[in-house]
Amino acid sequence: MKTFVSTSQRPDTDTVVAIGSFDGVHLGHQALIAQLKAEARQHRVPSVVYTFDPPTRVLMQGVEYLSTLPEKLELLARYGVDETIAVPFTPEFASRPKEEFLNDLRALRPRAIVVGEDFHFGKNRAGGAADLREVTPDVMTLPMHQLGGDDIKSTRIRALLHSGNVEETRRLLGRAYNAQGVVVQGDQLGRQLGYPTANIRVPQGKALPLGVFVVTVQGDHGFWPGMANVGFRPTVNGTERRFEVNLLDFSGDLYGQELQIRFHRKLRGEQKFSGLDELKAQLARDAQAARDALVDLPTEPGH
């Protein structure tokens, strides 16, 4: 998949374009992508996703995001998009009049445009589908995708993550929720307890579920089952959120490596224990529960 940061960077050819934040690339976004690809095949032109970095609600409302830009690009490529234009979404960009945004789209020479029914653009969200028809008469507005009678929205997924409900999150995404991060030096408490952990640093603002979870971990040199703790470590009076992963049956040095962690099931919420011995006993129970749960989970990367 080719990636650009402005419409002026790509070749001067006809396209079909889908527009939106695509935060999380959930089932609703995937329906939009399927329509985009169908239109692109019909017109025999590239399929182009025009998206924003960060997602609009992250800048305008300060919410956490579901996908970092690298995660989003990886997902869009996985779902078969030909090109992505990831425009830096700044306060200056958000304040542009709708006419400037329409001019950006004209540079893409779209045969058709695909958006969600709630899509608006430009200063004060002044632009809508009717304005897009000034660029091309073929504008498709897709209704909100639903599952279980409720709309599938990034907002709903954030709320599920906040409660630790990663299994319902998986249903709305069509895959396990994942987080990519680099292994950094921790305080090596897990090693003292007999459960060495990889301390994962993710970009600021990345949404993570709180608690203890069954996970699978993918790196450059392997794929492992594991358990993860996301929280503040109250037993040792922690004050900052940590993301720690224990790879079951693994030994080695992971410092500096980027890992992709997929959340499959919540084991429990974070607890404060009376001491390290009680914590160690609970970790043993967690590890066994994770092994039992992993028997029923997919073990191949990407699932």
Side-chain angles (χ1 to χ4, degrees):
M1 185 182 71
K2 298 176 181 176
T3 306
F4 310 98
V5 296
S6 73
T7 57
S8 63
Q9 287 185 326
R10 70 168 309 279
D12 186 21
T13 62
D14 290 357
T15 64
V16 172
V17 181
I19 313 168
S21 286
F22 290 87
D23 190 20
V25 196
H26 54 57
L27 289 179
H29 298 139
Q30 292 166 42
L32 210 67
I33 291 169
Q35 186 66 48
L36 167 72
K37 291 166 61 179
E39 293 295 319
R41 283 193 300 269
Q42 179 180 333
H43 291 285
R44 298 183 180 180
V45 298
S47 59
V48 178
V49 164
Y50 186 111
T51 190
F52 311 99
D53 178 42
T56 55
R57 289 181 184 272
V58 174
L59 177 71
M60 307 304 289
Q61 300 176 15
V63 302
E64 293 185 314
Y65 51 80
L66 303 176
S67 302
T68 64
L69 182 58
E71 289 168 351
K72 185 195 296 188
L73 295 176
E74 182 179 309
L75 289 166
L76 292 173
R78 182 193 305 181
Y79 294 125
V81 174
D82 294 321
E83 301 177 14
T84 296
I85 300 169
V87 177
F89 192 68
T90 63
E92 292 75 23
F93 187 92
S95 66
R96 296 195 316 164
K98 64 182 182 180
E99 289 77 13
E100 290 188 24
F101 185 78
L102 294 174
N103 285 335
D104 284 351
L105 293 181
R106 289 187 179 97
L108 297 175
R109 293 169 43 179
R111 298 278 193 92
I113 294 175
V114 185
V115 293
E117 63 182 359
D118 61 343
F119 176 71
H120 291 84
F121 61 92
K123 186 177 180 179
N124 298 323
R125 292 169 51 87
D131 300 286
L132 294 176
R133 292 188 175 92
E134 296 178 17
V135 178
T136 177
D138 193 357
V139 175
M140 281 153 285
T141 58
L142 271 62
M144 194 72 69
H145 207 69
Q146 291 194 331
L147 189 66
D150 294 319
D151 292 343
I152 298 177
K153 294 182 174 182
S154 299
T155 302
R156 181 180 171 192
I157 295 172
R158 288 188 199 96
L160 287 168
L161 287 174
H162 185 72
S163 67
N165 192 344
V166 295
E167 291 173 281
E168 182 67 10
T169 298
R170 182 186 185 114
R171 291 182 65 235
L172 302 188
L173 292 173
R175 62 182 189 280
Y177 184 68
N178 83 287
Q180 293 179 3
V182 176
V183 181
V184 297
Q185 186 82 35
D187 53 20
Q188 300 187 345
L189 176 63
R191 186 173 300 177
Q192 297 174 37
L193 296 171
Y195 293 90
T197 57
N199 191 34
I200 311 296
R201 183 177 63 204
V202 297
Q204 187 174 3
K206 168 73 175 179
L208 292 174
L210 295 179
V212 180
F213 300 88
V214 180
V215 299
T216 49
V217 182
Q218 184 176 355
D220 292 337
H221 306 293
F223 183 77
W224 308 278
M227 58 181 182
N229 180 77
V230 184
F232 295 86
R233 306 184 307 157
T235 302
V236 294
N237 299 314
T239 58
E240 61 178 17
R241 186 181 74 175
R242 291 283 189 93
F243 179 14
E244 299 173 325
V245 179
N246 172 250
L247 279 60
L248 301 176
D249 305 320
F250 171 85
S251 62
D253 185 359
L254 294 170
Y255 289 126
Q257 291 191 39
E258 183 170 70
L259 300 179
Q260 182 172 126
I261 296 92
R262 296 182 178 91
F263 293 85
H264 297 286
R265 186 173 300 170
K266 186 173 184 178
L267 292 174
R268 60 178 175 86
E270 192 170 40
Q271 299 170 242
K272 183 169 184 176
F273 298 97
S274 61
L276 296 183
D277 287 342
E278 187 180 3
L279 173 57
K280 184 175 181 178
Q282 181 61 54
L283 289 174
R285 290 190 289 271
D286 293 339
Q288 186 58 55
R291 292 180 193 279
D292 294 343
L294 285 161
V295 171
D296 300 324
L297 294 174
T299 56
E300 290 299 316
H303 293 269

